[in-house]
């Protein structure tokens, strides 16, 4: 059914809601997300929405996931579709595939450029702006039946310098071109949203507005998403959040309460439904709905008879109704998933609630960074102001060193400033980088530090956290050969490595199917939580992303320029290496291995 029709038919006394999901990077994550969605549809969303990566990078997974939610779970699905960097004909193909899958709803987005594009360059000349995509769908007989949604930005567009009135004019143009509903970017300033919403209505825009709500999951993900989306964060929120930022459970609890309060406020302001940015996580959204009195809406069938004619109705039920309700209850019931959180007895609902670090668990539905609505963290402004114009390998070494010394806040591979945790191993990172081994990820060894520790703590209070030391860096092939040789001769089973290049080559001493838990925690009343895991699937996923960053960064510069030539050569010639030392009780073990022994590497 069309989303606009479902909105018009829903009970106005009851909040409606949509769950947004993104396609995970790995097959296992995808499979576990499908199971998670099966439970969450039992919460009775009006629809689900499936995101589309920058440049259509997740096209196949997006369409597969949207098809599953629409056809297998019978939930009306809103397919995000961007026209960013889409070759001519791709938009038509995507719309046809959506139609074949029974999807009737499209969220039409311009999207942001794929990483590295200084200015947005429409590959298909028909689509310069989001309004062009709306107009095209609405005026093409083959696609005119689609219900079309568009995006709005209460806090301003993250990629434009236009003022609010100009943004509202763009929004009205999209509605006038045929948009049926509006979904907003996430926000936390409710007063500003309601002020903006009033201006939308004053502008003569009458279609439904569905606000984007993202319950805060962790402090780190909150900072990352609000930065990516240029979200306005009230000072009162930060005053509440900063004191509890090292207790992940308190942050999650606060996020639930905040979301509930926000929804109640915007309901009083005339809003009838919300669009949950779930980050592919389950527990917080369910808790929000429970607090709002909306989660327990599926009646049980205990002690009822199945009969063709339900008489009396309070004690009998038809076969069709019984089967339908039983299916929903089974899908929504939490149950252990053997493949999820392998090695632990984890509840499928929340086993991955505390992602920590880049890798997480590749089996998690939440594995992989979400680039909501095609947004990208790699921007030209940062390249120009922070990363300079590298023309030599020495220039790149200096950039990585400047980052380590906090003289620049980011690198293409590190979107946030150097963490206090990295300062614990700063001399070692500096030594590697000065030798041209450019470090892009690391953590120190930690042995039983309280979970409330200001630097390395995470999870609920009353626990203890542990870490194995690891480091990642880019090196030349000759250095990879030296590393492999030293591990073989002097590692004594304590050191594991992954090494890969842009051409698809992979070297490792990790057994097939082996998983290195490098961060874990022990907390009262629950199983051991393993939040950062390095294994083949996660390394390959990160390797692909890392080498694409070199390509994207190179595209900032004209073809044939010294900068572009350098960055392309680095992409083609360097290897990404990840080293883990398993002796977490000895904080110097990895560094002694690298810098000492019979054949010191540096």
């Amino acid at each position: 059914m069309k989303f606009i029709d479902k909105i018009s038919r829903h009970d106005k006394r009851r909040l409606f809601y949509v769950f947004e999901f993104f396609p995970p990077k790995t097959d296992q994550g995808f499979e576990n997300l499908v199971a998670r969605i099966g439970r969450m549809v039992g919460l009775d969303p009006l629809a689900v929405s499936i995101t589309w990566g920058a440049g259509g990078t997740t096209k196949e997974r997006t369409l597969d996931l949207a098809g599953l939610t629409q056809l297998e779970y019978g939930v009306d699905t809103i397919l995000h579709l961007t026209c960013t960097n889409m070759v001519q004909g791709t938009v038509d193909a995507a719309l046809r595939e959506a139609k074949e899958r029974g999807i009737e709803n499209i969220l039409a987005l311009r999207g942001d450029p794929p990483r590295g594009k200084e200015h947005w360059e429409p590959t298909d000349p028909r689509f310069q702006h989001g309004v062009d995509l709306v107009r095209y769908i609405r005026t093409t007989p083959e696609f005119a039946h689609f219900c079309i949604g568009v995006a709005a930005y209460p806090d301003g567009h993250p990629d434009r310098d236009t003022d609010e009135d100009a943004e509202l004019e763009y929004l009205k143009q999209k509605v006038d071109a045929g948009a049926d509903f509006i979904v907003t970017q996430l926000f936390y300033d409710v007063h500003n949203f309601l002020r903006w919403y009033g201006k939308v209505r004053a502008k003569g825009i009458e279609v439904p507005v569905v606000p984007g709500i993202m319950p805060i999951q962790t402090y780190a993900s909150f900072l990352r998403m609000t930065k990516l989306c240029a979200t306005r964060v009230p000072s009162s929120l930060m005053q509440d959040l900063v004191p509890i930022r090292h207790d992940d459970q308190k942050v999650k609890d606060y996020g639930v309460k905040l979301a509930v309060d926000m929804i109640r406020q915007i309901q009083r302001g005339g809003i009838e439904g919300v669009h949950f940015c779930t980050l592919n996580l389950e527990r917080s959204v369910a808790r929000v709905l429970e607090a709002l009195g909306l989660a327990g809406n599926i009646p049980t069938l205990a002690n009822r008879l199945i009969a063709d004619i339900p008489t009396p109705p309070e004690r009998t039920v038809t076969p069709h109704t019984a089967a339908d309700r039983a299916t929903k209850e089974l899908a929504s019931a939490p149950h252990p998933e053997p493949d999820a959180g392998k090695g632990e007895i984890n509840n499928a609902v929340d086993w991955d609630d505390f992602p920590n670090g880049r890798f997480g668990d590749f089996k998690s539905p939440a594995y992989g960074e979400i680039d909501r609505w095609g947004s990208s963290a790699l921007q030209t402004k940062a390249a120009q102001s922070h990363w300079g114009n590298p023309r030599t390998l020495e220039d790149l070494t200096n950039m990585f060193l400047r980052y380590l010394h906090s003289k620049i806040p980011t690198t293409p591979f590190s979107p946030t400033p150097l963490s206090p945790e990295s300062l614990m191993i700063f001399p070692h990172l500096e030594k590697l980088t000065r030798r041209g081994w450019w470090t892009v990820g690391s953590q120190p060894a930690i042995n039983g530090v309280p979970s409330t520790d200001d630097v390395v703590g995470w999870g609920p209070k009353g626990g203890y956290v542990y870490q194995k030391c690891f480091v990642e860096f880019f090196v030349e092939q000759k250095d990879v050969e030296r590393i492999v040789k030293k591990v073989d001769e002097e590692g004594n089973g304590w050191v594991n490595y992954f090494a890969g290049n842009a051409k698809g080559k992979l070297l490792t001493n990790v057994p097939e199917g082996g998983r290195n838990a490098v961060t874990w925690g022990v907390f009262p009343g629950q199983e051991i939580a393993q939040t950062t895991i390095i294994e083949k699937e996660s390394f390959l996923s990160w390797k692909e992303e890392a080498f694409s960053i070199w390509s994207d960064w190179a595209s900032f510069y004209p073809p044939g320029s010294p900068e572009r030539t350098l960055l392309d050569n680095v992409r083609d010639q360097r290897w990404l290496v990840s080293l883990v030392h398993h002796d977490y009780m000895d904080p110097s073990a990895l560094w002694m291995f690298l810098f000492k022994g019979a054949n010191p590497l540096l």
Side-chain angles (χ1 to χ4, degrees):
M1 182 183 292
K2 293 183 178 181
F3 185 55
I4 189 67
D5 293 336
K6 298 198 76 172
I7 291 176
S8 65
R9 296 180 186 182
H10 93 282
D11 184 348
K12 306 299 182 184
R13 297 168 298 178
R14 182 178 184 274
L15 181 83
F16 73 79
Y17 39 91
V18 177
F19 297 153
E20 177 187 281
F21 302 102
F22 67 90
K25 289 184 177 181
T26 64
D27 292 340
Q28 293 88 341
F30 188 94
E31 292 170 5
N32 286 327
L33 176 60
V34 171
R36 177 162 286 175
I37 291 174
R39 294 188 298 275
M40 293 184 73
V41 298
L43 297 171
D44 199 22
L46 198 64
V48 301
S49 71
I50 309 297
T51 68
W52 184 280
T57 51
T58 63
K59 174 179 177 290
E60 295 304 325
R61 286 189 184 273
T62 294
L63 288 168
D64 288 345
L65 186 58
L68 282 167
T69 56
Q70 181 71 50
L71 297 176
E72 302 223 0
Y73 288 115
V75 182
D76 288 295
T77 299
I78 303 169
L79 176 69
H80 295 211
L81 180 61
T82 73
C83 49
T84 297
N85 205 37
M86 300 282 275
V87 297
Q88 192 157 354
T90 303
V91 168
D92 289 6
L95 289 169
R96 290 189 183 106
E97 290 190 54
K99 186 176 180 179
E100 290 171 1
R101 288 167 168 81
I103 295 168
E104 298 183 65
N105 306 288
I106 300 292
L107 186 62
L109 307 163
R110 189 203 78 169
D112 288 344
R115 280 189 300 227
K117 297 295 184 183
E118 180 172 358
H119 300 292
W120 189 70
E121 301 170 0
T123 307
D124 190 329
R126 295 175 299 175
F127 306 118
Q128 303 284 337
H129 305 283
V131 67
D132 299 325
L133 182 55
V134 175
R135 189 178 294 115
Y136 176 75
I137 296 173
R138 187 58 73 218
T139 59
T140 302
E142 184 180 1
F143 308 129
H145 69 284
F146 279 110
C147 177
I148 305 172
V150 294
Y153 303 86
D155 291 340
H157 195 290
D159 195 39
R160 286 201 290 261
D161 295 327
T162 50
D163 62 23
E164 185 172 83
D165 290 337
E167 283 296 323
L168 288 174
E169 182 58 34
Y170 292 149
L171 182 60
K172 190 170 192 310
Q173 289 175 12
K174 289 188 285 188
V175 173
D176 291 345
D180 298 299
F181 65 94
I182 295 166
V183 177
T184 81
Q185 184 59 280
L186 62 92
F187 62 91
Y188 291 98
D189 189 334
V190 175
H191 296 296
N192 182 67
F193 168 79
L194 292 174
R195 180 197 60 78
W196 172 87
Y197 179 62
K199 292 187 69 172
V200 169
R201 292 301 186 227
K203 188 77 176 175
I205 299 172
E206 298 297 334
V207 300
V209 175
V210 186
I213 299 293
M214 187 186 81
I216 299 172
Q217 301 287 351
T218 66
Y219 185 67
S221 67
F222 167 76
L223 293 181
R224 183 172 62 251
M225 288 296 291
T226 52
K227 178 181 178 182
L228 183 65
C229 302
T231 306
R232 182 181 305 183
V233 180
S235 58
S236 58
L237 192 160
M238 292 305 296
Q239 289 170 7
D240 291 341
L241 204 53
V242 168
I244 61 172
R245 67 189 184 278
H246 298 299
D247 188 328
D248 286 355
Q249 187 61 60
K250 282 187 177 180
V251 170
K252 196 174 290 287
D253 293 344
Y254 177 83
V256 169
K257 182 179 182 301
L258 177 66
V260 171
D261 291 344
M262 289 176 62
I263 290 170
R264 285 174 174 159
Q265 288 183 64
I266 61 178
Q267 277 188 285
R268 291 193 292 269
I271 293 296
E272 298 180 5
V274 296
H275 186 270
F276 281 108
C277 176
T278 69
L279 299 182
N280 287 7
L281 296 171
E282 181 174 357
R283 175 68 76 183
S284 289
V285 171
R287 289 178 60 197
V288 170
L289 296 178
E290 288 170 4
L292 292 169
L294 299 172
N297 59 300
I298 302 176
T300 62
L301 300 178
N303 300 322
R304 287 194 181 190
L305 296 174
I306 299 177
D308 290 330
I309 301 176
T311 305
E314 66 274 9
R315 294 187 180 180
T316 56
V317 65
T318 66
H320 175 78
T321 301
D324 181 60
R325 290 181 178 176
T327 299
K328 287 183 177 180
E329 289 187 353
L330 286 171
S332 62
H335 57 279
E337 297 180 35
D339 288 337
K342 183 178 177 182
E344 310 95 35
I345 305 174
N346 285 314
N347 188 302
V349 173
D350 58 7
W351 66 273
D352 57 350
D353 252 6
F354 296 113
N356 191 58
R358 174 185 296 118
F359 292 100
D361 189 330
F362 79 101
K363 293 173 183 273
S364 168
Y367 180 79
E369 297 293 331
I370 178 175
D371 53 346
R372 193 163 191 256
W373 296 356
S375 299
S376 171
L378 193 65
Q379 302 292 344
T380 307
K381 290 179 181 178
Q384 293 173 336
S385 61
H386 303 318
W387 312 332
N389 296 285
R391 299 187 174 193
T392 66
L393 295 176
E394 185 179 358
D395 289 340
L396 290 173
T397 297
N398 287 334
M399 183 204 70
F400 283 105
L401 283 171
R402 292 179 67 218
Y403 174 72
L404 288 178
H405 286 272
S406 300
K407 293 181 179 178
I408 57 174
T410 68
T411 75
F413 306 92
S414 303
T416 57
L418 191 69
S419 68
E421 181 180 3
S422 298
L423 296 177
M424 299 170 65
I425 51 176
F426 173 82
H428 308 302
L429 300 178
E430 183 184 39
K431 184 173 182 178
L432 290 171
T433 302
R434 286 195 183 280
R435 299 295 182 92
W437 293 23
W438 304 321
T439 56
V440 294
S442 62
Q443 71 177 29
I446 299 296
N447 182 23
V449 170
S451 59
T452 52
D453 184 82
D454 285 347
V455 176
V456 298
W458 58 273
K461 68 178 181 180
Y464 291 90
V465 298
Y466 301 80
Q467 294 181 174
K468 294 176 183 177
C469 187
F470 79 82
V471 65
E472 300 172 319
F473 43 77
F474 286 104
V475 293
E476 297 177 352
Q477 182 171 338
K478 60 182 177 61
D479 294 316
V480 174
E481 295 168 356
R482 294 173 57 221
I483 291 168
V484 170
K485 185 174 185 294
K486 185 172 177 68
V487 172
D488 289 343
E489 294 177 353
E490 302 179 38
N492 298 319
W494 283 105
V495 181
N496 279 147
Y497 66 85
F498 287 98
N501 65 10
K503 299 173 184 176
K505 292 185 178 180
L506 175 70
L507 300 174
T508 182
N509 66 341
V510 177
E512 188 66 31
R515 289 158 58 84
N516 290 330
V518 297
T519 304
W520 65 99
V522 180
F523 306 101
Q526 64 184 71
E527 297 291 330
I528 292 174
Q530 299 180 6
T531 59
T532 309
I533 298 171
I534 300 178
E535 39 59 61
K536 182 179 177 180
E537 291 294 330
S538 61
F539 178 79
L540 289 176
S541 178
W542 163 230
K543 177 184 75 74
E544 181 179 347
E545 179 182 350
F547 282 107
S548 73
I549 290 174
W550 286 111
S551 298
D552 294 339
W553 187 13
S555 71
F556 283 132
Y557 305 99
S561 65
E563 295 89 347
R564 187 159 187 164
T565 300
L566 170 70
L567 297 173
D568 283 341
N569 286 340
V570 167
R571 176 201 62 211
D572 295 337
Q573 296 173 10
R574 291 244 165 177
W575 287 61
L576 177 66
V577 176
S578 175
L579 282 176
V580 177
H581 200 292
H582 295 288
D583 189 355
Y584 62 89
M585 299 181 70
D586 182 357
S588 66
L590 177 59
W591 314 113
M592 292 291 289
F593 169 78
L594 286 171
F595 305 140
K596 303 292 183 181
N599 297 292
L601 290 171
L602 294 176

